[in-house]
Amino acid sequence: GIPDMMLAVPRGRHHGLFIEHKAGTRKPGPIQNDRMQELMEQGYAVAVSYGCDKTVDIISNYLRGERA
C-alpha cells in the first residue's frame, strides 16, 4: 500500500515526498509499485530507501529541490 513515510512539504513541482523503507535486498511488491506510480502521477516525489543514512540523503536532497 502506501509508502512508510510522508513529508508534507511541497518543493518545486512536487506536493510532498513519500518514502518506502526496505531492508537488505527486498524490493517493493506489485501493489506498492502501483501505489507509488499513482502518487507520482498525482504530483508527489517518491523514493525507496535502504537504510537511515539513505533516508536522510533523500530528504535533504528533496528539501534542497534536488532529485529525491
Side-chain angles (χ1 to χ4, degrees):
I2 296 290
D4 300 306
M5 178 184 277
M6 183 201 185
L7 181 64
V9 177
R11 282 292 183 274
R13 62 182 178 91
H14 295 113
H15 305 304
L17 169 66
F18 283 89
I19 302 173
E20 175 63 30
H21 295 139
K22 292 295 179 188
T25 59
R26 296 186 66 185
K27 296 188 185 312
I31 293 171
Q32 290 174 316
N33 284 328
D34 289 346
R35 183 55 49 100
M36 289 188 292
Q37 182 63 40
E38 290 170 2
L39 289 166
M40 287 187 284
E41 290 170 2
Q42 294 174 23
Y44 292 95
V46 178
V48 177
S49 178
Y50 291 89
C52 294
D53 291 338
K54 181 64 176 169
T55 298
V56 170
D57 289 343
I58 291 168
I59 293 169
S60 296
N61 290 343
Y62 175 79
L63 291 174
R64 285 193 303 266
E66 300 170 6
R67 182 175 165 86

